[in-house]
Amino acid sequence: MKQATLKTAADGLDQAPSEKPDSVSSLILSLPESKNNRLPFLYSNFKPKNVNPSSYNDRLLFWKNTLEVATRSGLLSSTSSTTFCAEGLDVKFTHNGLRPLGLDIVLDELSNSGDLIELNTYRNYRTWAGWAFDSAFYLASIPFQLAFGPTKRNLSTNTFVNTTLLKSLADKALNKINGDIVKFSTDRIMSQRELNSFLSEVQEMDIELILKFWERTNVVIIQFDAKSGSRFPKDQKEYTSGITPIDSGIVIIKETLHALHSQADDLDKQIDQLNKETKIKLAESNKSRAMFALKRRHALEKILSARLGSIETIENILSRIQSAETDTQVLEAYKSGSETLKSLLPSIDSVESTMSQLQDTLADAQEIENAIQTGIVGTIGENDQDLEIELDALLAAEKETKKRESKHVERLEKTESLADDDLKELEALEVEFGELIMSEKKGIFVSN
């Protein structure tokens, strides 16, 4: 129950200060608990857990989160952001006269829950899983002590590793290696110098712990000898093979290449300096010194040319190794594609049988079509004369019909024309008769 509570409560880290504090005092002042006057309660000694489990867990959660933020910010150690020493921890967290009284219980609880591991214990365990098993066994073996509070162990002088911070730092570094660095299998093989250079922003103590974490979680294989190298295997097969002579050879090639580049850079600087010295001596009319500087420059230029030639040769070797790896991948892709295509295609016998059946079927279909066409052509040939006679009769009847319709239209047009003439004549008579009547009426009026 306790473990589940603490894991859920770890979300409280989201409430940690957004800016990195520069001291333990500034960290404490930035905490919400400092602003709502809860520090006296949180700094007081722990009472037995069975008295008030909720209060006990709240106080434990506060110290878990505070220790984590302080450790991550480098406030508890100058050499690590994942570890801290318990000695003098209560003094570091003393604030306004308040001194934490229950830190020994906090350390014991967090050790029991696996949030903290004693540094010596972490170094001695061969595997991460082995430590987790022992931690779980220890928890299961003391249920009474967990119910009423932790056992009393002297942890006041121990150095602890914060497992959450360590795992986060290791995962972040590994993601960067896999995402930004690894392009070829040769990139998975690093010398100690390369690894230290990659982890240059990580503190020395943390580098040691990260390497142990990787080694114990089967992420990296480390070989400590004169040809010290580290391999980041891409699968279990590579991991079980360990560091091979080929790996050691690649380390030697990469380290030789690095040394040659460093020598070439130094030679460039010396040559530039001798160039300046030659000009200065000539300006001073010191011809002998100018000649001496010039001879040295020529000698260094020959050495530089030789070094650049060696660099080109070794880089070509490394490039060929990487190219061979790419060629192998391409061939594997071809092989896989060929096998896949082959599995999708039917057998040759099946194809030949199918095609033979198809040809027979098509031949049958063609015979049927030919028979049908022959029947149609024969039918048309037998009735051609009759059809032509019938067609001519239809055309003659059509012409006769059109001729009769044309005569009928002409008669209608003539009738309509006569009707129009009669109508016009009638209208003229009506006008004339109307005028006659009007004149007669006027004569009557005058006689009266």
Side-chain angles (χ1 to χ4, degrees):
M1 178 64 71
K2 182 186 72 173
Q3 280 183 300
T5 301
L6 290 181
K7 285 181 180 179
T8 303
D11 296 336
L13 284 174
D14 295 336
Q15 300 175 358
S18 57
E19 297 183 0
K20 183 178 179 180
D22 56 6
S23 67
V24 174
S25 294
S26 63
L27 168 62
I28 295 172
L29 285 172
S30 67
L31 297 175
E33 291 82 359
S34 177
K35 299 173 183 178
N36 57 23
N37 297 321
R38 292 191 71 225
L39 284 184
F41 161 72
L42 297 169
Y43 270 54
S44 63
N45 210 342
F46 281 76
K47 294 181 180 180
K49 186 174 182 179
N50 62 335
V51 174
N52 190 339
S54 177
S55 174
Y56 187 97
N57 285 331
D58 284 346
R59 193 177 306 178
L60 182 62
L61 175 61
F62 166 79
W63 282 110
K64 174 183 180 292
N65 293 341
T66 303
L67 285 172
E68 188 165 318
V69 175
T71 304
R72 183 179 60 211
S73 302
L75 303 179
L76 304 182
S77 173
S78 60
T79 60
S80 172
S81 60
T82 62
T83 67
F84 66 88
C85 180
E87 187 172 4
L89 197 62
D90 55 345
V91 177
K92 292 179 180 178
F93 279 97
T94 297
H95 180 69
N96 290 340
L98 286 174
R99 189 168 185 164
L101 301 178
L103 288 182
D104 55 338
I105 295 177
V106 172
L107 297 178
D108 202 34
E109 284 278 20
L110 296 180
S111 296
N112 292 340
S113 64
D115 294 291
L116 298 179
I117 307 177
E118 295 176 45
L119 180 59
N120 289 334
T121 302
Y122 176 78
R123 282 172 169 163
N124 292 331
Y125 272 106
R126 293 187 59 82
T127 64
W128 188 269
W131 167 81
F133 174 80
D134 285 357
S135 179
F137 178 79
Y138 179 78
L139 288 171
S141 66
I142 52 172
F144 178 82
Q145 293 174 353
L146 287 178
F148 293 94
T151 58
K152 295 294 181 180
R153 292 184 289 170
N154 184 17
L155 304 174
S156 59
T157 60
N158 290 347
T159 298
F160 292 91
V161 179
N162 187 299
T163 58
T164 301
L165 294 178
L166 176 59
K167 186 178 184 304
S168 175
L169 194 61
D171 289 346
K172 182 179 179 181
L174 183 62
N175 289 337
K176 187 174 182 181
I177 288 175
N178 290 330
D180 299 342
I181 295 180
V182 174
K183 302 296 186 294
F184 301 95
S185 63
T186 53
D187 298 327
R188 292 186 175 275
I189 305 164
M190 293 188 185
S191 66
Q192 190 64 45
R193 178 198 57 80
E194 284 182 294
L195 198 54
N196 289 340
S197 176
F198 172 72
L199 298 173
S200 59
E201 296 181 0
V202 180
Q203 294 176 296
E204 187 175 351
M205 170 73 77
D206 294 333
I207 291 177
E208 175 198 346
L209 300 178
I210 287 174
L211 292 179
K212 286 187 178 294
F213 179 85
W214 281 344
E215 191 176 20
R216 291 167 182 175
T217 52
N218 297 349
V219 168
V220 65
I221 307 168
I222 300 175
Q223 179 174 308
F224 297 101
D225 56 21
K227 302 173 183 177
S228 180
S230 303
R231 167 181 272 281
F232 291 82
K234 64 181 180 181
D235 52 36
Q236 186 62 29
K237 181 180 179 181
E238 280 196 2
Y239 182 82
T240 54
S241 66
I243 293 182
T244 66
I246 295 177
D247 297 338
S248 299
I250 290 174
V251 170
I252 292 173
I253 290 173
K254 294 169 78 173
E255 285 304 287
T256 302
L257 195 58
H258 173 74
L260 287 171
H261 274 294
S262 296
Q263 291 178 20
D265 291 341
D266 290 339
L267 288 169
D268 275 330
K269 292 177 182 177
Q270 292 181 52
I271 290 170
D272 287 341
Q273 185 61 35
L274 287 170
N275 263 333
K276 293 177 182 178
E277 186 177 338
T278 301
K279 293 176 181 179
I280 291 171
K281 295 305 178 184
L282 285 174
E284 295 173 353
S285 299
N286 191 341
K287 188 175 180 180
S288 60
R289 296 293 294 179
M291 181 65 69
F292 178 73
L294 186 61
K295 288 180 179 179
R296 287 184 60 198
R297 192 196 78 183
H298 286 169
L300 291 180
E301 285 176 343
K302 290 181 180 179
I303 297 174
L304 177 60
S305 178
R307 294 292 182 271
L308 292 176
S310 300
I311 288 173
E312 183 179 5
T313 300
I314 295 177
E315 284 184 341
N316 283 336
I317 292 173
L318 192 61
S319 177
R320 288 182 181 181
I321 293 172
Q322 294 170 344
S323 177
E325 175 195 353
T326 303
D327 291 343
T328 301
Q329 291 174 345
V330 170
L331 289 174
E332 287 295 327
Y334 285 164
K335 181 180 178 181
S336 176
S338 174
E339 290 175 351
T340 302
L341 185 60
K342 185 177 180 181
S343 67
L344 294 174
L345 291 175
S347 66
I348 296 298
D349 293 339
S350 175
V351 172
E352 290 180 348
S353 175
T354 301
M355 293 305 296
S356 177
Q357 293 177 14
L358 179 60
Q359 290 176 356
D360 291 343
T361 303
L362 291 175
D364 293 342
Q366 186 63 44
E367 289 180 4
I368 293 171
E369 185 176 353
N370 290 340
I372 293 173
Q373 291 295 332
T374 300
I376 293 174
V377 171
T379 302
I380 293 175
E382 292 173 358
N383 297 299
D384 274 352
Q385 293 179 353
D386 295 339
L387 290 174
E388 288 179 2
I389 293 171
E390 184 177 352
L391 182 60
D392 290 341
L394 290 173
L395 288 174
E398 180 68 18
K399 288 181 180 179
E400 184 64 25
T401 301
K402 287 183 178 181
K403 186 177 181 181
R404 287 199 299 270
E405 289 178 353
S406 178
K407 290 180 178 180
H408 179 67
V409 169
E410 288 177 0
R411 286 198 297 270
L412 287 176
E413 288 177 351
K414 288 181 179 180
T415 304
E416 289 178 357
S417 178
L418 292 174
D420 289 340
D421 293 341
D422 293 342
L423 182 60
K424 289 178 181 178
E425 185 178 354
L426 179 61
E427 290 176 351
L429 291 173
E430 287 179 348
V431 171
E432 183 179 353
F433 182 72
E435 290 177 353
L436 179 61
I437 292 174
M438 289 297 295
S439 60
E440 289 178 354
K441 285 183 178 180
K442 288 180 179 180
I444 295 171
F445 289 144
V446 172
S447 61
N448 289 337

